[in-house]
Amino acid sequence: MRRVLAALVVFSTSTIAQAMAPVPADTPYPGVLKLQVDATDLDHRIFRVHEEIPATPGGLTLLYPQWLPGNHAPRGPIDKFAGLVIRANGKTLAWRRDPENVYAFHVDVPEGANAIEAEFQFLSPLDGGQGRVVMTPEMLNLQWNTVALYPAGHNASQVQVAASVTLPAGWEFATALERDGASSDGKANFKPVDFATLVDSPMFAGRYFKRVDLDPGAKVPVHLNIVADEAKYLEIKPEQLKVHQQLVKQAYKLYGSQHYDHYDFLFALSNKLSGIGLEHHRSSENGVAPEYFTDWNKQAGERDLLPHEYTHSWNGKFRRPADLATPNFNVSMGDTLLWVYEGQTQYWGNVLAARAGLHSAEQARDELAITVANYADNRPGFSWRNVQDTTNDPTIAQRRPLPYRNYQMSEDYYSAGALVWLAVDTKLRELSQEKKSLDDFAHAFFGVDNGDWKVKTYTFDDVAATLNAIAPNDWAKFLRERVDANAPPLDGLAAAGWKLVYTDKPSDYQKNAEGNAKTNNFAASIGLMVASDGGRISDVRWNGPAFKAGIAPGGTLIAINGREYRPERLADTIKEAKSSNAPIELLVKSGDLYRTFKIDYHNGAKYPHLERIPGTVDRLGAILAPR
């Protein structure tokens, strides 16, 4: 306690006030910041950083990126930042962290100095409990925002950076950055870019690497850059390559443009590196199970990831909500239009997966059935929230586990947002006698200024006006009725010519998706989500049968009607209960307490499927058909 009090005495309140970080201005920062990253310490999973930052004598504030694009939240991993030492003219300088902003560091640059040097380490997580694992013995994911301090007082686009990285011997890498000369001794140098572009250009590197051309012969190249846990996972069959190449073709047909000079999918096939799906303007970070190619038939649930992140190059990076386009990474972002940014991207990701052949039409319908069922029967949170309010969840929940996910809701602007856009698409088709669709909106809104990749912002009024130009309607009212309502936006399905039905057997798509997620979904019947390995209860539907019986999330399901728990046994028991008056008895362990709960449920198994509505236009079929 005395040490803390002493530290408080050192800096007076006037000194602290003077040290506040300056507001960013759209003025160039003098000189070029040099950033060197040593990423060779695989044993300790440490990234070691050395920076040379041009500076003039006087006060200087350095910032560690806080608000991260694509995260929509202040999630910069400052807790993994350590070992900061700052020097000038060979002497170590005292620095102090801002007492009100832990991402800001203040230092006084001495007379006669024209630069400072900063050294620190990024201590990347050793396991998933500490955060996302970004370094393994076989690969790494270098995100520049984790390994850089940058000067306050200037827009990120006005700070020039010359970056380099040293990788383990023999490793190959991919990034949207352009090399500055050949690599030597594992060190790669990159041409200077502004700090915003640097952060937007992460790297995947690995021992087992393959690069695949997705648009052969194109003037604007697109590549799939793959790193894997083992070499065997890099094998791609011709028909698998073809549907990934079709993704590029179908995206160009949809948008009629590209807003990059080249595009690189960064694709990790790993059980060791944590999964990811994060968009960037000229690249994307994508992580799935290692068997993506080698066990193709069971990986359908993973195959809309690349279409989703690719779509973000148009929606989210080139066209960006105005309140998300901040001057640097330490200014608060606004998330009000995430149901457009992420919701429409979710919609197009699913549609493009079908149009490219990454999903069959049946798989696309099965995926939609699961989404619709989730909102029709497993989102009681709509009793008190709406889609618009969930756009606050990146800041509220920051993707932390929730006790009652279905009731609290979190980031439903993704899937519920996609359902909003299904309603928009079908309405456009109805108003135009099937001549216009959301494809026309995508072309008009995201396809402008072909070849340009300077950010072009948009507002809600811009969205409504573009829709109105395609098919006159009160689109502002139409959209607000769906995103502001205390009810899920389900009307688009019937307008598409289909309806939700339940049977006692899951689709192959659902079985594979649950297998990949290691979760068994009994939410539509008894109201439980249960881990297939170990029986942990991950979610309980609010006021559902299991909830009313007294079951809460977090416990472990031990037995069913006196017999050991197995997922297939619970599924069979739910079916059999339809012809019985006896309750389903579940033995659940919570801490050191074992309790038997009796669930009074007799409506049988319920697995979602879609069924055609006779006599209606099959708009869903038209939406999913290749262009």
Side-chain angles (χ1 to χ4, degrees):
M1 180 64 73
R2 285 193 295 273
R3 292 179 63 191
V4 173
L5 292 175
L8 289 176
V9 171
V10 171
F11 303 112
S12 68
T13 55
S14 60
T15 302
I16 292 173
Q18 292 172 2
M20 291 178 66
V23 174
D26 195 15
T27 55
Y29 187 76
V32 177
L33 188 156
K34 296 180 181 179
L35 170 63
Q36 301 172 14
V37 179
D38 184 337
T40 59
D41 191 351
L42 303 179
D43 292 332
H44 300 102
R45 303 189 187 185
I46 296 172
F47 293 84
R48 303 180 189 278
V49 182
H50 180 89
E51 289 186 86
E52 296 179 23
I53 303 172
T56 56
L60 175 66
T61 299
L62 300 176
L63 300 175
Y64 189 76
Q66 178 182 13
W67 284 83
L68 304 182
N71 290 260
H72 320 302
R75 295 176 61 190
I78 191 70
D79 58 317
K80 310 298 190 300
F81 174 97
L84 177 61
V85 176
I86 299 176
R87 298 183 179 90
N89 295 334
K91 295 182 179 180
T92 299
L93 306 181
W95 57 265
R96 56 195 180 277
R97 194 190 301 256
D98 192 286
E100 296 182 3
N101 179 2
V102 298
Y103 289 82
F105 302 86
H106 306 297
V107 64
D108 291 323
V109 180
E111 290 295 329
N114 58 15
I116 63 169
E117 296 182 58
E119 292 183 353
F120 63 91
Q121 302 87 41
F122 176 63
L123 310 178
S124 76
L126 300 172
D127 60 63
Q130 298 171 352
R132 183 172 167 267
V133 174
V134 296
M135 181 182 281
T136 78
E138 295 81 22
M139 66 182 70
L140 63 83
N141 175 196
L142 172 57
Q143 297 176 313
W144 297 102
N145 57 277
T146 66
V147 293
L149 294 169
Y150 71 107
H154 300 266
N155 288 6
S157 60
Q158 293 282 11
V159 179
Q160 293 294 306
V161 184
S164 66
V165 60
T166 303
L167 296 169
W171 282 30
E172 297 183 71
F173 68 87
T175 173
L177 297 176
E178 295 183 28
R179 302 188 195 205
D180 189 5
S183 301
S184 61
D185 298 325
K187 183 178 181 180
N189 299 306
F190 300 102
K191 294 180 179 179
V193 294
D194 63 81
F195 191 71
T197 300
L198 179 74
V199 170
D200 197 44
S201 306
M203 171 188 291
F204 274 17
R207 190 182 311 278
Y208 308 108
F209 178 92
K210 174 180 278 190
R211 194 172 204 218
V212 179
D213 192 345
L214 295 187
D215 199 7
K219 293 181 179 179
V220 180
V222 179
H223 288 97
L224 181 65
N225 304 276
I226 311 168
V227 290
D229 286 342
E230 299 179 46
K232 66 180 181 181
Y233 295 123
L234 297 174
E235 296 303 317
I236 306 174
K237 295 180 180 179
E239 59 270 24
Q240 295 168 343
L241 173 59
K242 181 178 179 180
V243 293
H244 288 85
Q245 292 175 332
Q246 283 297 317
L247 169 59
V248 177
K249 290 181 171 58
Q250 289 296 323
Y252 288 167
K253 289 181 179 181
L254 175 62
Y255 299 114
S257 66
Q258 69 262 138
H259 301 293
Y260 45 76
D261 52 355
H262 60 89
Y263 190 91
D264 285 277
F265 290 99
L266 310 179
F267 200 31
L269 308 182
S270 178
N271 281 326
K272 301 177 183 179
L273 194 82
S274 296
I276 190 173
L278 186 60
E279 64 272 14
H280 302 282
H281 210 137
R282 298 185 296 165
S283 63
S284 57
E285 296 167 271
N286 310 274
V288 297
E291 301 86 1
Y292 179 85
F293 292 113
T294 57
D295 200 1
W296 181 257
N297 291 335
K298 293 184 179 180
Q299 303 300 316
E302 305 273 24
R303 293 204 289 270
D304 59 353
L305 175 60
L306 296 181
H308 179 104
E309 302 306 339
Y310 190 33
T311 288
H312 270 313
S313 182
W314 289 267
N315 180 15
K317 303 310 292 184
F318 170 60
R319 296 303 310 265
R320 191 175 307 178
D323 56 4
L324 277 173
T326 54
N328 71 18
F329 302 107
N330 294 72
V331 174
S332 299
M333 295 178 177
D335 292 338
T336 59
L337 288 175
L338 285 183
W339 55 272
V340 185
Y341 179 118
E342 294 289 6
Q344 192 172 151
T345 297
Q346 184 84 350
Y347 181 78
W348 286 128
N350 296 338
V351 170
L352 285 173
R355 290 183 183 178
L358 288 160
H359 283 165
S360 67
E362 180 181 11
Q363 288 170 332
R365 291 194 299 269
D366 290 338
E367 181 176 48
L368 180 58
I370 294 170
T371 299
V372 172
N374 198 34
Y375 286 99
D377 294 307
N378 193 36
R379 274 298 181 274
F382 271 104
S383 66
W384 70 281
R385 295 194 77 178
N386 55 37
V387 174
Q388 183 64 62
D389 189 53
T390 68
T391 64
N392 295 300
D393 282 335
T395 302
I396 294 171
Q398 298 193 24
R399 298 189 173 173
R400 292 184 291 259
L402 299 171
Y404 290 94
R405 169 70 173 80
N406 62 89
Y407 183 61
Q408 293 171 273
M409 298 175 50
S410 180
E411 300 192 58
D412 288 80
Y413 53 80
Y414 276 93
S415 294
L419 294 179
V420 169
W421 292 105
L422 175 61
V424 173
D425 199 346
T426 54
K427 189 65 175 179
L428 285 169
R429 292 167 188 268
E430 175 193 330
L431 291 171
S432 66
Q433 291 77 49
E434 316 305 323
K435 295 178 182 178
K436 298 290 185 179
S437 70
L438 199 62
D439 289 54
D440 296 282
F441 173 87
H443 196 282
F445 199 73
F446 303 118
V448 296
D449 301 337
N450 183 30
D452 187 6
W453 47 292
K454 182 179 180 181
V455 174
K456 187 179 181 69
T457 62
Y458 65 82
T459 65
F460 175 84
D461 289 343
D462 295 328
V463 174
T466 303
L467 287 169
N468 195 60
I470 295 167
N473 189 36
D474 190 346
W475 286 107
K477 179 181 178 183
F478 186 95
L479 292 170
R480 295 254 62 99
E481 285 177 342
R482 284 154 183 79
V483 299
D484 293 338
N486 287 116
L490 298 174
D491 55 316
L493 181 63
W498 293 76
K499 64 181 179 180
L500 176 69
V501 297
Y502 290 98
T503 73
D504 62 359
K505 294 182 180 179
S507 64
D508 288 340
Y509 179 90
Q510 181 168 350
K511 286 189 289 187
N512 290 335
E514 290 184 7
N516 291 336
K518 295 181 174 56
T519 297
N520 294 104
N521 187 343
F522 302 106
S525 54
I526 61 174
L528 285 184
M529 298 283 285
V530 186
S532 55
D533 183 13
R536 183 181 180 277
I537 299 170
S538 58
D539 200 12
V540 178
R541 174 156 51 93
W542 190 265
N543 282 335
F547 182 98
K548 290 178 179 178
I551 298 176
T556 300
L557 184 51
I558 302 297
I560 308 156
N561 291 344
R563 302 176 67 193
E564 182 183 20
Y565 166 72
R566 293 199 299 268
E568 61 274 15
R569 179 167 287 159
L570 180 54
D572 291 341
T573 301
I574 292 171
K575 289 181 184 179
E576 293 162 2
K578 190 173 184 178
S579 58
S580 169
N581 293 324
I584 299 171
E585 295 189 2
L586 301 184
L587 177 63
V588 176
K589 179 180 181 292
S590 182
D592 61 357
L593 180 65
Y594 289 78
R595 291 182 61 191
T596 297
F597 297 91
K598 296 182 179 182
I599 302 177
D600 189 19
Y601 177 81
H602 306 283
N603 291 328
K606 294 181 67 176
Y607 296 104
H609 301 266
L610 296 188
E611 188 176 279
R612 280 283 288 126
I613 301 174
T616 61
V617 177
D618 184 8
R619 293 190 176 110
L620 182 58
I623 290 168
L624 299 177
R627 297 303 183 253

